[in-house]
Protein backbone atom coordinates (compact mmCIF):
# COMPACT_ATOMS: atom_id res chain seq x y z
CA UNK A 1 0.00 0.00 0.00
CA UNK A 2 1.18 3.52 -0.77
CA UNK A 3 1.88 5.91 2.13
CA UNK A 4 -0.65 8.70 2.69
CA UNK A 5 0.56 12.16 1.74
CA UNK A 6 -0.21 14.48 4.61
CA UNK A 7 -0.15 18.22 5.22
CA UNK A 8 0.14 19.35 8.83
CA UNK A 9 -1.47 22.65 9.91
CA UNK A 10 -0.22 23.78 13.31
CA UNK A 11 3.10 22.76 14.83
CA UNK A 12 2.58 23.35 18.53
CA UNK A 13 2.87 20.65 21.17
CA UNK A 14 0.75 18.08 19.32
CA UNK A 15 2.11 18.92 15.86
CA UNK A 16 5.65 18.49 17.23
CA UNK A 17 4.69 15.09 18.69
CA UNK A 18 3.21 14.04 15.34
CA UNK A 19 6.37 15.08 13.46
CA UNK A 20 8.41 12.88 15.80
CA UNK A 21 6.17 9.90 15.08
CA UNK A 22 6.02 10.49 11.32
CA UNK A 23 9.75 11.08 10.93
CA UNK A 24 10.89 8.45 13.45
CA UNK A 25 11.19 4.68 12.99
CA UNK A 26 7.79 3.63 14.36
CA UNK A 27 4.75 2.25 12.47
CA UNK A 28 3.47 5.68 11.37
CA UNK A 29 6.69 6.43 9.48
CA UNK A 30 5.81 3.59 7.05
CA UNK A 31 2.29 4.86 6.45
CA UNK A 32 2.67 8.61 5.87
CA UNK A 33 4.84 11.05 3.95
CA UNK A 34 4.74 14.73 4.85
CA UNK A 35 4.02 16.92 1.83
CA UNK A 36 4.19 20.20 3.77
CA UNK A 37 3.63 22.00 7.03
CA UNK A 38 2.14 25.34 8.02
CA UNK A 39 2.23 27.16 11.35
CA UNK A 40 2.30 30.67 12.78
CA UNK A 41 6.03 30.79 13.47
CA UNK A 42 8.52 29.12 11.12
CA UNK A 43 11.54 29.61 13.39
CA UNK A 44 10.24 28.43 16.73
CA UNK A 45 12.42 25.57 18.15
CA UNK A 46 10.87 22.16 17.34
CA UNK A 47 11.69 18.59 18.44
CA UNK A 48 12.73 17.63 14.87
CA UNK A 49 14.42 19.41 11.99
CA UNK A 50 11.76 20.67 9.56
CA UNK A 51 14.13 22.52 7.23
CA UNK A 52 13.70 19.89 4.47
CA UNK A 53 9.89 19.90 4.63
CA UNK A 54 7.99 22.30 2.37
CA UNK A 55 6.73 25.30 4.38
CA UNK A 56 3.42 27.06 3.65
CA UNK A 57 2.69 30.48 5.13
CA UNK A 58 -0.98 30.12 4.16
CA UNK A 59 -2.62 27.01 5.67
CA UNK A 60 -5.36 27.04 3.03
CA UNK A 61 -2.76 26.75 0.24
CA UNK A 62 -1.52 23.51 1.79
CA UNK A 63 -5.11 22.40 2.51
CA UNK A 64 -5.90 22.21 -1.22
CA UNK A 65 -2.45 21.11 -2.45
CA UNK A 66 -2.65 18.49 -5.21
CA UNK A 67 -0.02 16.36 -3.51
CA UNK A 68 -1.97 15.96 -0.26
CA UNK A 69 -4.36 13.10 0.66
CA UNK A 70 -5.01 14.08 4.28
CA UNK A 71 -4.92 17.41 6.10
CA UNK A 72 -4.05 17.20 9.78
CA UNK A 73 -5.52 20.29 11.46
CA UNK A 74 -3.86 21.08 14.81
CA UNK A 75 -4.32 24.85 14.91
CA UNK A 76 -7.37 24.97 17.19
CA UNK A 77 -10.16 27.52 17.54
CA UNK A 78 -13.82 27.05 16.60
CA UNK A 79 -13.70 29.55 13.74
CA UNK A 80 -11.02 31.50 11.94
CA UNK A 81 -8.07 29.96 10.06
CA UNK A 82 -8.61 26.38 11.27
CA UNK A 83 -12.25 26.31 10.17
CA UNK A 84 -11.42 28.01 6.88
CA UNK A 85 -8.60 25.54 6.15
CA UNK A 86 -10.79 22.52 6.96
CA UNK A 87 -13.56 23.78 4.65
CA UNK A 88 -10.95 24.32 1.92
CA UNK A 89 -9.53 20.83 2.43
CA UNK A 90 -12.95 19.11 2.32
CA UNK A 91 -13.98 21.01 -0.81
CA UNK A 92 -10.68 19.93 -2.39
CA UNK A 93 -11.61 16.30 -1.49
CA UNK A 94 -8.94 15.83 1.15
CA UNK A 95 -9.59 13.72 4.24
CA UNK A 96 -9.23 15.67 7.49
CA UNK A 97 -7.82 14.58 10.84
CA UNK A 98 -8.34 17.13 13.58
CA UNK A 99 -7.96 17.58 17.33
CA UNK A 100 -10.29 20.58 17.24
CA UNK A 101 -13.19 19.89 19.64
CA UNK A 102 -14.34 23.52 19.63
CA UNK A 103 -14.69 23.55 15.82
CA UNK A 104 -16.46 20.18 15.66
CA UNK A 105 -18.89 21.04 18.45
CA UNK A 106 -19.79 24.30 16.72
CA UNK A 107 -19.76 23.17 13.07
CA UNK A 108 -19.77 19.35 13.21
CA UNK A 109 -23.02 18.83 11.32
CA UNK A 110 -22.10 21.24 8.53
CA UNK A 111 -18.62 19.69 8.20
CA UNK A 112 -20.08 16.17 8.19
CA UNK A 113 -22.35 17.14 5.27
CA UNK A 114 -19.48 18.73 3.38
CA UNK A 115 -17.31 15.65 3.91
CA UNK A 116 -20.14 13.41 2.64
CA UNK A 117 -20.75 15.57 -0.42
CA UNK A 118 -17.07 15.35 -1.29
CA UNK A 119 -16.69 11.65 -0.51
CA UNK A 120 -14.05 12.19 2.18
CA UNK A 121 -13.67 11.51 5.91
CA UNK A 122 -13.16 13.60 9.04
CA UNK A 123 -11.44 11.90 12.00
CA UNK A 124 -11.16 13.35 15.51
CA UNK A 125 -9.88 10.82 18.05
CA UNK A 126 -7.49 13.45 19.46
CA UNK A 127 -10.33 15.89 20.12
CA UNK A 128 -11.61 13.97 23.14
CA UNK A 129 -9.46 12.99 26.12
CA UNK A 130 -6.09 13.12 24.30
CA UNK A 131 -4.53 9.66 24.22
CA UNK A 132 -7.59 7.73 25.44
CA UNK A 133 -9.18 6.01 22.42
CA UNK A 134 -12.72 6.84 23.54
CA UNK A 135 -14.01 7.89 20.11
CA UNK A 136 -12.93 4.55 18.67
CA UNK A 137 -14.36 2.74 21.69
CA UNK A 138 -17.81 4.26 21.13
CA UNK A 139 -17.70 4.30 17.36
CA UNK A 140 -16.34 0.80 16.88
CA UNK A 141 -15.98 -1.32 20.00
CA UNK A 142 -19.35 -0.32 21.51
CA UNK A 143 -21.10 0.46 18.22
CA UNK A 144 -23.85 -2.12 18.76
CA UNK A 145 -24.54 -1.23 22.41
CA UNK A 146 -27.23 0.94 23.97
CA UNK A 147 -25.34 3.58 25.90
CA UNK A 148 -26.94 4.43 29.24
CA UNK A 149 -24.47 6.83 30.85
CA UNK A 150 -21.16 8.53 30.18
CA UNK A 151 -19.36 10.10 33.10
CA UNK A 152 -15.83 11.42 33.19
CA UNK A 153 -13.11 13.82 34.10
CA UNK A 154 -12.28 15.27 30.69
CA UNK A 155 -10.16 18.31 31.50
CA UNK A 156 -6.71 17.69 32.94
CA UNK A 157 -6.04 21.32 33.89
CA UNK A 158 -9.06 21.62 36.16
CA UNK A 159 -8.36 18.19 37.64
CA UNK A 160 -4.79 19.24 38.42
CA UNK A 161 -6.08 22.43 40.09
CA UNK A 162 -8.67 20.61 42.22
CA UNK A 163 -6.16 17.90 43.18
CA UNK A 164 -3.55 20.47 44.26
CA UNK A 165 -6.09 22.56 46.16
CA UNK A 166 -7.23 19.44 48.04
CA UNK A 167 -3.65 18.40 48.86
CA UNK A 168 -2.29 21.79 49.89
CA UNK A 169 -5.28 23.92 50.93
CA UNK A 170 -4.06 26.68 48.59
CA UNK A 171 -6.62 28.91 46.83
CA UNK A 172 -7.78 28.49 43.25
CA UNK A 173 -5.95 31.52 41.79
CA UNK A 174 -2.52 30.44 43.15
CA UNK A 175 -2.81 26.88 41.89
CA UNK A 176 -4.02 28.10 38.49
CA UNK A 177 -0.77 30.09 38.16
CA UNK A 178 1.20 26.88 38.91
CA UNK A 179 -0.77 25.02 36.23
CA UNK A 180 0.10 27.74 33.70
CA UNK A 181 3.79 27.72 34.69
CA UNK A 182 3.85 23.92 34.22
CA UNK A 183 2.38 24.34 30.72
CA UNK A 184 -0.80 22.46 31.67
CA UNK A 185 -3.28 25.32 31.41
CA UNK A 186 -3.43 27.45 28.30
CA UNK A 187 -2.17 31.07 28.48
CA UNK A 188 -5.90 31.85 28.34
CA UNK A 189 -7.25 29.06 30.55
CA UNK A 190 -10.88 30.22 30.32
CA UNK A 191 -12.23 27.13 28.57
CA UNK A 192 -10.28 24.79 30.85
CA UNK A 193 -11.70 26.22 34.05
CA UNK A 194 -15.20 27.31 32.98
CA UNK A 195 -16.17 23.82 31.81
CA UNK A 196 -16.17 24.78 28.10
CA UNK A 197 -13.36 22.43 27.05
CA UNK A 198 -14.93 19.44 28.84
CA UNK A 199 -18.29 20.52 27.37
CA UNK A 200 -16.92 20.40 23.83
CA UNK A 201 -15.65 16.88 24.47
CA UNK A 202 -18.93 15.76 26.01
CA UNK A 203 -20.86 17.18 23.04
CA UNK A 204 -18.82 14.98 20.67
CA UNK A 205 -19.25 11.87 22.83
CA UNK A 206 -23.01 12.50 23.10
CA UNK A 207 -23.22 12.85 19.32
CA UNK A 208 -21.61 9.41 18.98
CA UNK A 209 -23.48 7.76 21.81
CA UNK A 210 -26.93 9.32 21.78
CA UNK A 211 -28.15 11.91 19.31
CA UNK A 212 -25.98 11.91 16.21
CA UNK A 213 -25.07 15.60 16.34
CA UNK A 214 -23.09 17.71 18.80
CA UNK A 215 -25.32 20.08 20.81
CA UNK A 216 -22.85 22.01 22.91
CA UNK A 217 -25.26 24.84 23.68
CA UNK A 218 -27.66 22.40 25.35
CA UNK A 219 -25.09 21.21 27.89
CA UNK A 220 -25.46 22.57 31.43
CA UNK A 221 -22.05 24.13 32.10
CA UNK A 222 -20.41 25.23 35.33
CA UNK A 223 -16.67 25.57 35.92
CA UNK A 224 -14.45 25.27 38.96
CA UNK A 225 -13.85 29.00 39.56
CA UNK A 226 -16.09 29.15 42.63
CA UNK A 227 -14.67 26.06 44.38
CA UNK A 228 -12.74 27.11 47.50
CA UNK A 229 -10.32 25.26 49.78
CA UNK A 230 -13.13 24.93 52.37
CA UNK A 231 -15.14 22.87 49.84
CA UNK A 232 -12.27 20.47 49.24
CA UNK A 233 -11.59 20.16 52.96
CA UNK A 234 -15.28 19.58 53.76
CA UNK A 235 -15.66 17.05 50.93
CA UNK A 236 -12.65 15.07 52.20
CA UNK A 237 -14.10 15.12 55.74
CA UNK A 238 -17.41 13.74 54.36
CA UNK A 239 -15.67 10.97 52.35
CA UNK A 240 -15.77 12.52 48.88
CA UNK A 241 -13.48 14.13 46.30
CA UNK A 242 -14.46 17.23 44.30
CA UNK A 243 -14.09 16.67 40.54
CA UNK A 244 -15.21 18.56 37.44
CA UNK A 245 -17.56 15.87 36.13
CA UNK A 246 -18.81 15.75 32.55
CA UNK A 247 -21.81 13.46 32.42
CA UNK A 248 -24.59 12.45 30.10
CA UNK A 249 -27.37 9.96 30.61
CA UNK A 250 -30.50 8.80 28.87
CA UNK A 251 -33.67 8.35 30.96
CA UNK A 252 -37.14 7.85 29.45
CA UNK A 253 -35.77 9.00 26.09
CA UNK A 254 -34.59 12.29 27.69
CA UNK A 255 -30.90 13.12 27.52
CA UNK A 256 -29.35 15.08 30.39
CA UNK A 257 -25.88 16.51 29.76
CA UNK A 258 -23.81 18.54 32.18
CA UNK A 259 -20.32 19.63 33.15
CA UNK A 260 -20.12 20.77 36.76
CA UNK A 261 -18.03 20.40 39.89
CA UNK A 262 -19.42 17.46 41.85
CA UNK A 263 -18.72 15.42 44.95
CA UNK A 264 -17.66 11.91 44.01
CA UNK A 265 -17.62 9.05 46.53
CA UNK A 266 -14.05 7.92 47.21
CA UNK A 267 -14.90 4.39 46.03
CA UNK A 268 -15.60 5.70 42.51
CA UNK A 269 -12.51 5.42 40.24
CA UNK A 270 -13.02 9.06 39.18
CA UNK A 271 -12.38 10.19 42.78
CA UNK A 272 -8.91 8.61 42.72
CA UNK A 273 -7.85 10.46 39.58
CA UNK A 274 -5.00 12.76 40.55
CA UNK A 275 -3.24 15.46 38.55
CA UNK A 276 -3.76 16.06 34.85
CA UNK A 277 -5.15 12.63 33.93
CA UNK A 278 -8.53 12.04 32.27
CA UNK A 279 -10.94 9.18 32.99
CA UNK A 280 -14.22 8.18 31.40
CA UNK A 281 -16.74 5.56 32.56
CA UNK A 282 -19.29 4.32 30.02
CA UNK A 283 -22.26 2.24 31.11
CA UNK A 284 -23.90 0.36 28.26
CA UNK A 285 -25.99 -2.68 27.37
CA UNK A 286 -24.95 -5.40 26.91
CA UNK A 287 -21.26 -4.70 27.57
CA UNK A 288 -21.67 -3.32 31.13
CA UNK A 289 -19.46 -0.57 32.54
CA UNK A 290 -16.11 0.18 30.89
CA UNK A 291 -13.47 2.45 32.43
CA UNK A 292 -10.88 4.38 30.43
CA UNK A 293 -8.00 6.22 32.13
CA UNK A 294 -5.00 7.99 30.63
CA UNK A 295 -3.35 11.21 29.59
CA UNK A 296 -5.82 13.70 28.21
CA UNK A 297 -3.25 16.12 26.83
CA UNK A 298 0.42 16.46 25.89
CA UNK A 299 2.55 15.77 22.82
CA UNK A 300 2.85 11.97 22.96
CA UNK A 301 -0.70 11.03 24.01
CA UNK A 302 -2.46 13.45 21.65
CA UNK A 303 -0.16 12.67 18.70
CA UNK A 304 -0.84 8.96 19.35
CA UNK A 305 -4.57 9.64 18.81
CA UNK A 306 -3.93 11.68 15.64
CA UNK A 307 -1.71 8.88 14.34
CA UNK A 308 -4.42 6.27 15.00
CA UNK A 309 -6.77 8.24 12.75
CA UNK A 310 -4.10 8.39 10.04
CA UNK A 311 -3.62 4.63 10.30
CA UNK A 312 -7.40 4.13 9.82
CA UNK A 313 -7.30 6.30 6.71
CA UNK A 314 -4.26 4.37 5.47
CA UNK A 315 -6.34 1.17 5.69
CA UNK A 316 -9.31 3.00 4.17
CA UNK A 317 -11.65 2.37 7.10
CA UNK A 318 -14.83 4.32 6.31
CA UNK A 319 -17.47 5.49 8.84
CA UNK A 320 -19.91 8.40 9.03
CA UNK A 321 -18.70 11.23 11.28
CA UNK A 322 -20.98 10.83 14.29
CA UNK A 323 -22.25 7.30 13.74
CA UNK A 324 -21.86 5.00 16.65
CA UNK A 325 -24.44 3.54 18.99
CA UNK A 326 -26.64 6.63 18.44
CA UNK A 327 -28.01 5.09 15.27
CA UNK A 328 -30.49 3.18 17.47
CA UNK A 329 -31.52 6.27 19.45
CA UNK A 330 -32.95 8.85 17.09
CA UNK A 331 -35.46 11.53 18.19
CA UNK A 332 -34.38 11.78 21.79
CA UNK A 333 -35.34 14.88 23.76
CA UNK A 334 -32.96 17.04 25.77
CA UNK A 335 -33.85 17.10 29.48
CA UNK A 336 -34.38 20.59 30.96
CA UNK A 337 -31.37 22.05 32.81
CA UNK A 338 -31.29 21.69 36.63
CA UNK A 339 -33.62 18.69 36.46
CA UNK A 340 -31.36 16.51 38.59
CA UNK A 341 -32.79 14.53 41.49
CA UNK A 342 -29.84 13.77 43.76
CA UNK A 343 -28.17 14.45 47.05
CA UNK A 344 -26.47 17.86 47.05
CA UNK A 345 -23.63 19.67 48.80
CA UNK A 346 -24.31 23.34 49.58
CA UNK A 347 -21.82 25.89 50.96
CA UNK A 348 -23.26 29.12 52.36
CA UNK A 349 -21.17 32.12 53.35
CA UNK A 350 -22.81 33.89 56.27
CA UNK A 351 -22.21 36.39 59.03
CA UNK A 352 -21.65 34.40 62.22
CA UNK A 353 -24.79 35.40 64.18
CA UNK A 354 -27.28 33.45 66.32
CA UNK A 355 -30.17 31.90 64.38
CA UNK A 356 -28.49 31.50 60.98
CA UNK A 357 -28.55 27.71 61.07
CA UNK A 358 -32.18 27.84 62.27
CA UNK A 359 -33.08 29.96 59.22
CA UNK A 360 -31.40 27.44 56.92
CA UNK A 361 -33.08 24.40 58.47
CA UNK A 362 -36.49 26.12 58.67
CA UNK A 363 -36.39 27.24 55.03
CA UNK A 364 -35.19 23.88 53.71
CA UNK A 365 -37.83 22.09 55.82
CA UNK A 366 -40.61 24.24 54.35
CA UNK A 367 -39.44 23.15 50.88
CA UNK A 368 -39.36 19.50 51.99
CA UNK A 369 -35.57 19.34 51.56
CA UNK A 370 -34.10 17.09 54.23
CA UNK A 371 -30.61 17.86 55.62
CA UNK A 372 -28.27 14.87 55.88
CA UNK A 373 -25.33 16.62 57.56
CA UNK A 374 -24.27 20.15 58.48
CA UNK A 375 -20.83 21.55 59.36
CA UNK A 376 -19.49 24.89 60.48
CA UNK A 377 -15.78 25.35 61.05
CA UNK A 378 -14.71 27.67 63.88
CA UNK A 379 -14.83 31.10 62.23
CA UNK A 380 -11.61 32.87 61.33
CA UNK A 381 -13.56 35.97 60.24
CA UNK A 382 -16.87 36.53 62.13
CA UNK A 383 -18.32 38.53 59.26
CA UNK A 384 -17.91 35.69 56.75
CA UNK A 385 -18.00 32.06 57.79
CA UNK A 386 -18.70 28.97 55.68
CA UNK A 387 -21.58 26.67 56.58
CA UNK A 388 -21.59 23.45 54.62
CA UNK A 389 -24.47 21.02 54.41
CA UNK A 390 -25.46 17.95 52.47
CA UNK A 391 -29.04 17.08 51.62
CA UNK A 392 -30.97 13.89 51.20
CA UNK A 393 -32.13 13.25 47.64
CA UNK A 394 -34.19 16.15 46.34
CA UNK A 395 -35.04 18.00 43.13
CA UNK A 396 -32.41 20.61 42.35
CA UNK A 397 -35.00 23.22 41.32
CA UNK A 398 -36.71 22.93 44.71
CA UNK A 399 -33.36 23.26 46.48
CA UNK A 400 -32.58 26.37 44.37
CA UNK A 401 -35.94 27.91 45.33
CA UNK A 402 -35.19 27.36 49.01
CA UNK A 403 -31.70 28.84 48.68
CA UNK A 404 -33.03 31.86 46.77
CA UNK A 405 -35.45 32.48 49.62
CA UNK A 406 -32.56 32.53 52.13
CA UNK A 407 -30.81 35.28 50.18
CA UNK A 408 -33.36 37.79 51.53
CA UNK A 409 -31.75 37.55 55.00
CA UNK A 410 -28.92 40.03 55.65
CA UNK A 411 -26.64 37.36 57.16
CA UNK A 412 -26.33 35.50 53.84
CA UNK A 413 -23.40 36.67 51.67
CA UNK A 414 -23.14 36.04 47.93
CA UNK A 415 -24.38 33.04 45.99
CA UNK A 416 -24.11 29.65 47.73
CA UNK A 417 -22.18 26.92 45.90
CA UNK A 418 -24.30 23.89 45.02
CA UNK A 419 -22.64 20.64 43.87
CA UNK A 420 -24.37 17.31 43.21
CA UNK A 421 -23.15 14.25 45.11
CA UNK A 422 -22.42 11.25 42.91
CA UNK A 423 -22.04 7.69 44.15
N1 LIG B 1 -6.48 21.76 27.91
C1 LIG B 1 -7.06 20.45 27.94
C2 LIG B 1 -6.90 19.85 29.34
C3 LIG B 1 -6.47 19.50 26.96
O1 LIG B 1 -6.41 20.52 30.24
O2 LIG B 1 -7.32 18.72 29.51
C4 LIG B 1 -6.96 19.78 25.57
O3 LIG B 1 -8.36 19.77 25.53
Amino acid sequence: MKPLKIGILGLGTVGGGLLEMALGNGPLSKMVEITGVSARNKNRPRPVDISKIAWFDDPSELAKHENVDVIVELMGGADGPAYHAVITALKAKKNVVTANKAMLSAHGVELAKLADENGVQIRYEAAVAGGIPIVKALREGMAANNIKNIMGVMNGTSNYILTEMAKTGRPFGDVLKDAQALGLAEADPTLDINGGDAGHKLALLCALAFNGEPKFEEIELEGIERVEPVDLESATFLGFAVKLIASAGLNDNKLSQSVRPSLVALANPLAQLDGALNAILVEAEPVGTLTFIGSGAGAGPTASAVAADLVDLFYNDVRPLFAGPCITNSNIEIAPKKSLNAKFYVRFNVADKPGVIAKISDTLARHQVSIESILQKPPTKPDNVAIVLTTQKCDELILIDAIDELSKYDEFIGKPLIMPILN
Side-chain angles (χ1 to χ4, degrees):
M1 289 167 87
K2 287 207 307 205
L4 293 174
K5 293 176 198 133
I6 68 169
I8 305 175
L9 312 182
L11 291 180
T13 307
V14 183
L18 183 66
L19 283 176
E20 285 191 290
M21 291 181 80
L23 301 174
N25 297 315
L28 191 67
S29 65
K30 319 280 185 298
M31 299 183 194
V32 301
E33 280 172 10
I34 302 175
T35 297
V37 293
S38 176
R40 266 195 301 240
N41 180 352
K42 189 172 180 179
N43 301 316
R44 169 185 163 167
R46 302 213 151 79
V48 294
D49 176 18
I50 59 163
S51 59
K52 296 196 174 61
I53 303 175
W55 178 270
F56 290 74
D57 285 324
D58 178 0
S60 289
E61 278 306 307
L62 179 54
K64 61 186 179 203
H65 195 280
E66 58 176 8
N67 211 21
V68 162
D69 303 315
V70 185
I71 279 299
V72 182
E73 185 278 303
L74 302 172
M75 294 187 284
D79 303 288
Y83 172 64
H84 184 65
V86 166
I87 296 271
T88 306
L90 295 174
K91 285 185 176 165
K93 304 199 187 304
K94 316 293 182 191
N95 294 300
V96 169
V97 173
T98 178
N100 194 332
K101 63 223 81 171
M103 178 183 71
L104 288 176
S105 3
H107 305 293
V109 174
E110 170 205 344
L111 294 176
K113 280 193 192 132
L114 194 57
D116 272 358
E117 281 163 21
N118 287 282
V120 289
Q121 300 264 305
I122 303 175
R123 296 274 169 162
Y124 56 98
E125 183 61 72
V128 186
I132 300 175
I134 186 67
V135 173
K136 268 181 174 294
L138 284 168
R139 189 148 127 144
E140 299 172 31
M142 302 173 82
N145 278 256
N146 281 318
I147 310 292
K148 308 259 181 227
N149 281 295
I150 298 175
M151 188 199 277
V153 171
M154 301 185 199
N155 182 270
T157 302
S158 53
N159 200 54
Y160 170 85
I161 293 172
L162 291 174
T163 307
E164 281 304 298
M165 285 174 72
K167 277 188 191 153
T168 63
R170 293 167 63 217
F172 172 80
D174 285 8
V175 182
L176 171 60
K177 281 187 198 132
D178 288 359
Q180 283 172 303
L182 287 167
L184 287 173
E186 308 292 327
D188 174 4
T190 310
L191 289 175
D192 285 322
I193 62 178
N194 74 4
D197 176 75
H200 290 144
K201 294 166 183 168
L202 187 67
L204 297 179
L205 295 186
C206 285
L208 280 167
F210 300 115
N211 50 2
E213 36 184 90
K215 295 193 171 163
F216 173 71
E217 66 289 350
E218 284 171 354
I219 296 177
E220 189 178 332
L221 276 191
E222 188 182 327
I224 61 167
E225 308 94 321
R226 295 182 59 229
V227 177
E228 294 184 3
V230 66
D231 302 312
L232 295 151
E233 199 180 314
S234 307
T236 306
F237 177 78
L238 294 163
F240 296 93
V242 179
K243 297 285 168 193
L244 183 66
I245 297 294
S247 76
L250 198 58
N251 270 315
D252 294 334
N253 210 40
K254 286 204 174 73
L255 178 63
S256 32
Q257 314 167 90
S258 68
V259 175
R260 56 192 300 194
S262 309
L263 267 64
V264 182
L266 291 176
N268 186 314
L270 297 181
Q272 313 298 332
L273 195 77
D274 274 2
L277 288 174
N278 283 193
I280 302 172
L281 311 185
V282 185
E283 192 192 332
E285 285 283 339
V287 71
T289 299
L290 301 183
T291 306
F292 304 83
I293 298 181
S295 295
T302 315
S304 154
V306 172
D309 283 343
L310 288 168
V311 172
D312 277 354
L313 292 172
F314 175 79
Y315 287 118
N316 209 13
D317 179 73
V318 175
R319 281 176 199 252
L321 192 62
F322 296 119
C326 68
I327 246 160
T328 55
N329 274 332
S330 52
N331 302 323
I332 58 175
E333 291 172 42
I334 303 291
K337 291 181 181 174
K338 306 282 180 206
S339 57
L340 197 59
N341 180 274
K343 293 184 175 187
F344 290 92
Y345 167 103
V346 185
R347 187 237 311 146
F348 297 94
N349 284 81
V350 298
D352 190 14
K353 291 189 179 155
V356 171
I357 288 182
K359 283 175 180 153
I360 294 174
S361 62
D362 172 62
T363 307
L364 291 188
R366 272 189 289 102
H367 287 80
Q368 298 295 309
V369 174
S370 183
I371 296 173
E372 189 169 271
S373 66
I374 186 158
L375 304 169
Q376 181 186 325
K377 302 244 310 166
T380 47
K381 291 183 288 182
D383 55 342
N384 189 340
V385 59
I387 293 179
V388 163
L389 64 78
T390 60
T391 71
Q392 304 276 17
K393 267 192 163 193
C394 64
D395 287 335
E396 185 166 11
L397 280 177
I398 293 178
L399 176 64
I400 290 172
D401 278 351
I403 289 173
D404 282 351
E405 205 176 299
L406 281 165
S407 66
K408 73 181 180 206
Y409 296 116
D410 291 342
E411 297 94 325
F412 287 76
I413 304 160
K415 192 176 163 204
L417 178 70
I418 305 176
M419 296 191 278
I421 301 177
L422 311 173
N423 286 320

